[in-house]
Amino acid sequence: MSRVNNLLVLPRLRVQNANAISSPMTWGFPAMSAFVGMMYALERKLAAADINVSLNRIGVVCHDVEPQATEGGYTRAFHLTRNPVDKTGATAAIVEEGRIHLDITLIFAIDAAASDEQRRHIAQQAGDTVAGMRIAGGSVMPNPRVSPDRQRPMWIALDDDSSEREKQFKRLKRRWLPGFALVLRDDRLAEHTGTLQAKDVDATALDAWLDLSRLNHQCHVASEGEEVRWEIRRPYPGWLVPVPVGYSAISEHFEPGSVANVRDMQIPFRFVESIYSIGEWVSPHRLTSPEDLLWYVDNDLDAGLYRLNNDYTQRAHST
């Protein structure tokens, strides 16, 4: 992807009751696809208000999370609501919903020709628009934990000079502390798959994904066999997490309107399933450029892949 020249920053948003179930196999933070979908919805809303800008990449810095689930023990359960009785007077079924409260900063790559005054106006308009939108199914609420000045939307025009650009980004990173940015680590998954296959030829990428997704306790026994010590085995440093990154097609395209009960009867339809990778929560001060934390759509239509990508790994290897 090309270098980012302008950033739209919406700091310290308080999101209540966002969707904590990010995929059929993961929970704990909304999927990045939810934020990308929100980005395109924001672009359309701004266009409806005669503000024509292009938003094509988004990053998320998480400052605080409050999962709406029971604490303690090895098993957790979501806090569920009891719905009113149905039309027959019978008790309505409980549909399990995972909810989470978030304190996040959203960073968009924005592209438009605008003066300084127009930039301030667009940033404020974007902030006002997002205040009335849903983010990952959650409602944007006033954030009493942060002063109004720290919640002010900003359009940052990054300098062409590398040293000045680096200073600008350092100032931004300080504003995002304390917090963690989610980045993609496809390389960790690929490397760990190879490590497992060197020990077992039947090992798969799923085995590696599961191994990286859990805490593995390993027993160490002293040579004399008297002392036993348990340790957590960590293949890699850092805060690695399993993440959904998009969808893979499992059927051919169907003509518009040929499949019943789809969301949009005017476009072609195909069945898909979730695809997964490994992500890492990284402190903003460890990022070297804005591109490190930004996610974007990277589809391969010929292969039937509809997925998101992030350049953190490629940039880390190139420096």
Side-chain angles (χ1 to χ4, degrees):
M1 294 289 287
S2 59
R3 192 167 78 157
V4 173
N5 295 319
N6 296 278
L7 294 176
L8 173 63
V9 182
L10 304 182
R12 304 305 293 259
L13 300 174
R14 180 68 176 171
V15 184
Q16 189 175 68
N17 290 327
N19 183 16
I21 304 177
S22 54
S23 75
M25 297 179 65
T26 56
W27 81 279
F29 194 79
M32 283 305 302
S33 56
F35 295 102
V36 171
M38 172 265 172
M39 175 183 71
Y40 288 124
L42 173 61
E43 183 181 84
R44 291 193 296 270
K45 286 181 178 292
L46 291 177
D50 293 328
I51 299 176
N52 296 311
V53 296
S54 175
L55 305 175
N56 51 34
R57 284 182 264 184
I58 185 172
V60 179
V61 176
C62 183
H63 307 285
D64 190 25
V65 295
E66 298 176 26
Q68 301 304 291
T70 57
E71 296 289 341
Y74 291 100
T75 302
R76 293 188 178 186
F78 288 118
H79 298 165
L80 304 179
T81 58
R82 170 66 73 181
N83 298 325
V85 297
D86 60 23
K87 60 183 179 181
T88 66
T91 302
I94 294 179
V95 178
E96 188 173 38
E97 295 179 341
R99 296 184 296 274
I100 190 170
H101 301 337
L102 304 171
D103 187 348
I104 58 175
T105 291
L106 296 181
I107 303 98
F108 303 88
I110 187 170
D111 186 19
S115 64
D116 290 343
E117 182 62 32
Q118 289 172 326
R119 289 169 180 168
R120 286 191 289 269
H121 170 71
I122 292 173
Q124 188 58 54
Q125 184 68 29
D128 294 342
T129 302
V130 168
M133 295 176 61
R134 294 275 187 170
I135 299 179
S139 303
V140 181
M141 309 292 290
N143 194 343
R145 304 179 182 182
V146 183
S147 64
D149 182 62
R150 294 187 63 193
Q151 299 180 58
R152 179 171 51 85
M154 298 177 293
W155 178 318
I156 309 297
L158 298 173
D159 202 281
D160 292 333
D161 180 71
S162 298
S163 60
E164 183 60 33
R165 181 187 179 92
E166 183 177 351
K167 292 178 183 178
Q168 288 177 300
F169 190 52
K170 283 184 177 179
R171 288 194 292 268
L172 280 174
K173 290 189 292 184
R174 285 196 295 268
R175 286 176 171 265
W176 299 338
L177 293 172
F180 290 90
L182 185 62
V183 298
L184 184 63
R185 297 310 304 263
D186 280 348
D187 61 319
R188 294 297 195 206
L189 180 59
E191 183 179 339
H192 198 54
T193 301
T195 300
L196 295 185
Q197 289 176 343
K199 301 176 182 178
D200 180 2
V201 294
D202 295 326
T204 66
L206 178 60
D207 296 319
W209 185 76
L210 292 172
D211 195 53
L212 292 174
S213 301
R214 63 181 175 239
L215 290 177
N216 297 285
H217 294 266
Q218 191 169 7
C219 177
H220 294 272
V221 182
S223 57
E224 60 273 11
E226 295 180 357
E227 182 182 354
V228 177
R229 185 176 72 256
W230 287 90
E231 294 181 352
I232 296 178
R233 175 174 57 82
R234 296 172 58 87
Y236 302 102
W239 185 359
L240 300 180
V241 289
V243 291
V245 293
Y247 304 93
S248 176
I250 56 175
S251 76
E252 72 279 6
H253 274 109
F254 294 95
E255 293 298 321
S258 61
V259 179
N261 301 321
V262 299
R263 181 174 297 179
D264 192 334
M265 302 293 287
Q266 307 301 318
I267 62 174
F269 175 85
R270 75 191 313 179
F271 291 95
V272 298
E273 62 182 1
S274 294
I275 55 177
Y276 302 89
S277 187
I278 292 294
E280 183 178 357
W281 288 106
V282 179
S283 179
H285 79 277
R286 297 188 180 276
L287 302 174
T288 60
S289 71
E291 292 82 2
D292 283 348
L293 80 160
L294 297 176
W295 292 70
Y296 56 91
V297 175
D298 189 22
N299 295 335
D300 185 345
L301 301 182
D302 293 335
L305 288 177
Y306 308 87
R307 66 160 295 172
L308 304 178
N309 210 340
N310 166 262
D311 290 340
Y312 176 80
T313 302
Q314 291 89 329
R315 297 186 61 81
H317 286 175
S318 63
T319 57

